[in-house]
Amino acid sequence: MIRRPAAVAVMLAALAAILVVPGVSGFGAAGGSVAGAGSAAPAVPEGPVVLVGTTGVRWSDLKAPVDGVGDELAGAEPAEPPLAPYLAGLLDDAGLADRRGADAAGLALTTGAAARCPAGGWLALSAGGLAESAPAPRAACEEPAVEPAAGQDTQAVVAGWADWQALQRGSAYGARLGRLGDALDGMCTTAVGAGAAVAVARADGSVGRYADDVGPEAFECPVTVIDAGSALLAHDEIDRADAEDLRAERVAAVDAEVRRVLAEVPEDATVVVADLANQRERGPRLGIGLVLRPAGPDGAGPRYLTSSATRTTGVARAGDLPATLLAAAGLAAADGIEDTPLLAGADRPASGTETIDALADLTERDHERRAAYSVLVEGGFWAALALAGLCWWAAARGRASGARAAAVGAALFLSAVPVAGFLASLTGWWRFPLPGLALGAAVVAIAGLLAGLAALVPARRTWARPGFLAGVTFVVLTVDGLASTVLNRAAPLGAAPSYGARFYGFGNPTFCVYAVAGLVLAAALAQWLVSRGRRGLAATAVAGVGLVAVIVDVLPQFGADLGGGPALVPAFAVLGIAAYGGRLRVRRIVAVTAGGAVLVAAIGVADWLRPAAQRSHLGRFVADVIEGEAWSLLARKAAYAARSVLAGPSVWVTVLLLLAVALVLFTPVLGRRLEPAWSVAACSAWPLLRPAVAAIWLVAVIGSLINDFGLRIGMICLVVAVPLLTLTVLGVAGRTGDRTGQGAAGPAVDRAALGK
């Protein structure tokens, strides 16, 4: 029989083999973190600039296909050329005369209502932010068009401009079309093609200089915007049998048009080639983003692009293009346009093929992560509730003893799954032939090993095993936050650039895992200290864990989570007061909740005081408030949160569970009648468990109310909390007649105090 030290060594060695041997997945490579993005050099220098916009071209279109996965892994020659060979060739030094290989990035494009029609990308450029492109999801799309105009400073007007403006007035985006055009007013700007006219039109829809096609006069101005065509399919073309062939023809046509345009570009101009719109029916994908600069004396190699809005190597936003054009023209960013121009990031591979593969993989990685997210969250939610229900049923039937070992193993495994999802990022799972299977196998293996380590923790104290797994989770995410959230960038619960909601820091799912793990860890540490009569030190331990959690989650340099502080501060305050032996009163909870909001506001103001290019979400939100732009953002987020009520049975069950917990915790008389015996026993063995549950409830409820994720915040909190609480209850059930944990920790927190 393997002794415990030997078992620990074996499992740690297995973890190291899984996490280290495959190689750390590209810290600094495409998709990795960018340190000091706000101080990086601009990718487009001041001077003549040409923006060539397309719609529907993806990095996979630049990737030369081979026959099968096996041939690809073996490095076989491509079976045929890519759909866009000219664009692919721009990444090599010989791709365009007198220019080095292009700097490159995947561009996050408009999503949601802003992506209903191809024109949404051009409208977003015009507004400097998301803009409505159609009144309903399946509404007919209006193609951009122009009409000639005779005026002193006007050559054309955008057809139907008033209708697009009216559409914005009824939208949660609150977009103001013409922001970019007004900011460029007074700077000679040429639009070539209808989409380009939409992008640079002034607020009244007028365009100063316009041409239907590229000619000698197109590049007479310092700023030129060109519509190079679309590869997107119409709604009625998606399901055609020849849809793939039709799209391939359109990609080839766009590729040929870009070749024709770039043949006319002056040698001293910087060229930006950017895709602006997704094929919505096929899910979001990163568009191509290329910057070709005139040959210079610096001799620097080609780079990945980034921006201070993404802080991610090889990832930028189509929303960064307005600021890029203004900076190249020597103009300051206008009100309502984020000052986040494209920046030169880390060196990219000299090989264009390697760069294309790396950037195409980012989209595929995001899609696999989104599928895994559904399994981990939805599947984890129902699995946790099923386990808890089976344990309750077995205990009620007197069958708990035989199934207890299996139940404990399942609870240990489910408790380890969330942190395993983050640690799986270290395996480079997306580089395997079957990335989804590799990710699933990595999560299962890591969770199993962590559960095995937790099983070796002595179970004499009820809080020991839950505290161990919560501690591992908290430490891993704390280190990740301090290291620019590198694990989040490939984790199923982390941000996915293709979907564009968040690019760095802690997103809502990560916040849920981090908050619950921190509270359970703090409750376990405090209970250990209280059992030794050290209540003051116990309260200090809770405060210390809470301070670390707030710093890592909220500060712009780390988690940059705007909605985390108002939930974390009252939750840890409740637990700290209980650890000290104080009474939990409603007015105290309200006071510390307000204090959390003030703290986050102060951090946001401090972030806003930094240079605009270095601000995070917090500082930019404060700027929106000052400029009067915040109401549309808040309205849009409130609408997202409200729609979470319709997210399905898991959310509805979450509401019922939160209401049930509230009745038990906050109604002294009714709570005593409703609370099951197993809960009473668990709280007797772990007196700080009830305040910990109250703190988790606060995080779930406050987080659900103030975040655009809505009630899904509460659901993910339950995904993390339920297995840990089930493990606690099973630990008490396994110590029938053992009273070592009772009484030694001091008196249980009075339930009535929670309701006062």
Side-chain angles (χ1 to χ4, degrees):
M1 180 177 181
I2 300 178
R3 299 175 65 88
R4 283 197 171 188
V8 171
V10 168
M11 282 187 269
L12 289 176
L15 270 175
I18 293 172
L19 300 177
V20 178
V21 171
V24 175
S25 62
F27 294 166
S33 303
V34 175
S39 58
V44 178
E46 188 172 338
V49 61
V50 177
L51 171 61
V52 181
T54 67
T55 52
V57 181
R58 304 291 164 262
W59 279 105
S60 56
D61 298 328
L62 280 62
K63 189 174 180 178
V66 296
D67 288 330
V69 173
D71 289 342
E72 183 176 355
L73 293 175
E77 291 295 322
E80 54 187 87
L83 297 181
Y86 178 73
L87 285 168
L90 294 177
L91 291 144
D92 295 317
D93 287 338
L96 193 61
D98 299 322
R99 299 175 190 265
R100 69 182 190 188
D103 297 340
L107 293 184
L109 308 177
T110 58
T111 58
R116 288 172 178 165
C117 293
W122 295 109
L123 290 169
L125 285 187
S126 172
L130 298 178
E132 290 272 9
S133 56
R138 304 295 294 182
C141 291
E142 296 293 332
E143 295 293 331
V146 296
E147 299 172 348
Q152 183 176 359
D153 298 318
T154 302
Q155 289 188 353
V157 294
V158 176
W161 185 257
D163 294 334
W164 268 326
Q165 284 183 316
L167 189 61
Q168 310 314 312
R169 287 193 287 272
S171 165
Y173 295 128
R176 185 170 72 79
L177 300 183
R179 269 203 179 102
L180 177 60
D182 287 346
L184 289 169
D185 197 21
M187 170 67 65
C188 181
T189 303
T190 302
V192 179
V198 171
V200 301
R202 295 177 284 242
D204 60 358
S206 64
V207 182
R209 288 174 53 89
Y210 176 78
D212 287 319
D213 199 2
V214 173
E217 73 285 353
F219 304 104
E220 293 177 354
C221 289
V223 178
T224 304
V225 180
I226 300 172
D227 181 353
S230 174
L232 297 175
L233 301 178
H235 290 307
D236 58 354
E237 296 173 330
I238 295 293
D239 297 324
R240 283 174 43 171
D242 63 342
E244 290 300 323
D245 292 337
L246 181 60
R247 183 179 179 280
E249 292 175 5
R250 292 182 182 174
V251 171
V254 171
D255 189 60
E257 179 65 11
V258 174
R259 177 196 290 268
R260 188 175 72 87
V261 168
L262 265 59
E264 303 291 334
V265 173
E267 293 182 0
D268 64 340
T270 300
V271 180
V272 180
V273 181
D275 200 83
L276 301 173
N278 267 309
Q279 184 77 56
R280 190 182 182 204
E281 294 83 352
R282 299 192 176 185
R285 294 179 174 271
L286 296 178
I288 61 166
L290 304 173
V291 172
L292 296 111
R293 283 181 277 179
D298 56 4
R303 303 288 191 92
Y304 281 122
L305 300 170
T306 185
S307 84
S308 60
T310 67
R311 301 185 187 181
T312 304
T313 300
V315 176
R317 308 175 306 165
D320 299 323
L321 296 173
T324 300
L325 292 178
L326 292 175
L331 301 173
D335 289 345
I337 296 179
E338 291 186 40
D339 189 13
T340 58
L342 294 175
L343 303 174
D347 292 339
R348 69 166 178 83
S351 165
T353 300
E354 290 182 36
T355 302
I356 292 167
D357 287 346
L359 294 175
D361 284 350
L362 291 180
T363 292
E364 301 309 317
R365 186 173 81 179
D366 283 353
H367 285 203
E368 295 290 350
R369 292 163 64 196
R370 184 52 64 98
Y373 169 89
S374 299
V375 173
L376 261 64
V377 173
E378 288 286 339
F381 179 81
W382 294 113
L385 293 187
L387 175 62
L390 286 173
C391 291
W392 173 83
W393 176 85
R397 297 276 181 165
R399 302 176 183 178
S401 58
R404 180 180 171 278
V408 168
L412 288 169
F413 178 81
L414 290 176
S415 298
V417 164
V419 69
F422 291 99
L423 288 173
S425 300
L426 296 174
T427 66
W429 54 265
W430 59 93
R431 295 176 175 171
F432 288 80
L434 299 172
L437 181 61
L439 174 58
V443 171
V444 169
I446 295 168
L449 289 169
L450 290 175
L453 288 170
L456 298 178
V457 174
R460 187 170 63 89
R461 298 293 188 183
T462 307
W463 57 86
R465 288 176 176 175
F468 172 80
L469 287 170
V472 170
T473 303
F474 186 78
V475 169
V476 167
L477 290 181
T478 296
V479 172
D480 187 43
L482 297 175
S484 301
T485 61
V486 291
L487 297 182
N488 271 266
R489 297 173 188 275
L493 298 183
S498 298
Y499 294 84
R502 175 181 279 268
F503 301 92
Y504 62 90
F506 282 179
N508 290 317
T510 305
F511 160 74
C512 295
V513 176
Y514 192 54
V516 173
L519 289 166
V520 173
L521 171 63
L525 289 174
Q527 193 65 67
W528 178 69
L529 292 166
V530 169
S531 68
R532 285 157 174 76
R534 311 288 292 273
R535 283 195 173 274
L537 193 56
T540 302
V542 173
V545 175
L547 181 61
V548 170
V550 170
I551 288 173
V552 172
D553 182 68
V554 177
L555 285 191
Q557 301 89 329
F558 307 132
D561 182 16
L562 179 63
L568 285 173
V569 172
F572 276 98
V574 163
L575 187 56
I577 292 170
Y580 190 69
R583 297 178 67 83
L584 299 174
R585 302 181 184 277
V586 172
R587 62 175 178 269
R588 289 179 178 175
I589 296 175
V590 172
V592 295
T593 300
V598 171
L599 174 63
V600 173
I603 294 173
V605 171
D607 189 35
W608 170 72
L609 292 174
R610 299 196 299 171
Q614 298 179 23
R615 294 172 186 162
S616 72
H617 314 290
L618 282 73
R620 286 198 286 271
F621 178 74
V622 172
D624 288 340
V625 171
I626 293 172
E627 295 166 6
E629 302 287 340
W631 292 113
S632 61
L633 175 64
L634 292 174
R636 187 167 72 251
K637 288 182 176 293
Y640 293 154
R643 284 200 294 268
S644 70
V645 177
L646 306 176
S650 56
V651 168
W652 305 334
V653 171
T654 295
V655 174
L656 293 177
L657 288 174
L658 291 176
L659 288 174
V661 171
L663 288 175
V664 172
L665 288 175
F666 304 121
T667 57
V669 177
L670 185 60
R672 287 191 179 93
R673 295 178 180 177
L674 294 176
E675 185 172 14
W678 52 261
S679 175
V680 174
C683 292
S684 178
W686 184 0
L688 286 178
L689 179 61
R690 184 173 285 117
V693 171
I696 293 170
W697 186 90
L698 282 173
V699 165
V701 172
I702 295 175
S704 296
L705 291 174
I706 66 175
N707 282 281
D708 57 1
F709 224 49
L711 289 166
R712 288 182 289 261
I713 292 278
M715 183 184 72
I716 300 176
C717 286
L718 291 179
V719 171
V720 184
V722 170
L724 291 169
L725 298 177
T726 302
L727 183 60
T728 301
V729 174
L730 289 169
V732 174
R735 296 165 46 218
T736 304
D738 180 5
R739 303 296 179 184
T740 56
Q742 299 183 29
V749 175
D750 184 6
R751 183 196 286 105
L754 286 168
K756 291 183 179 178

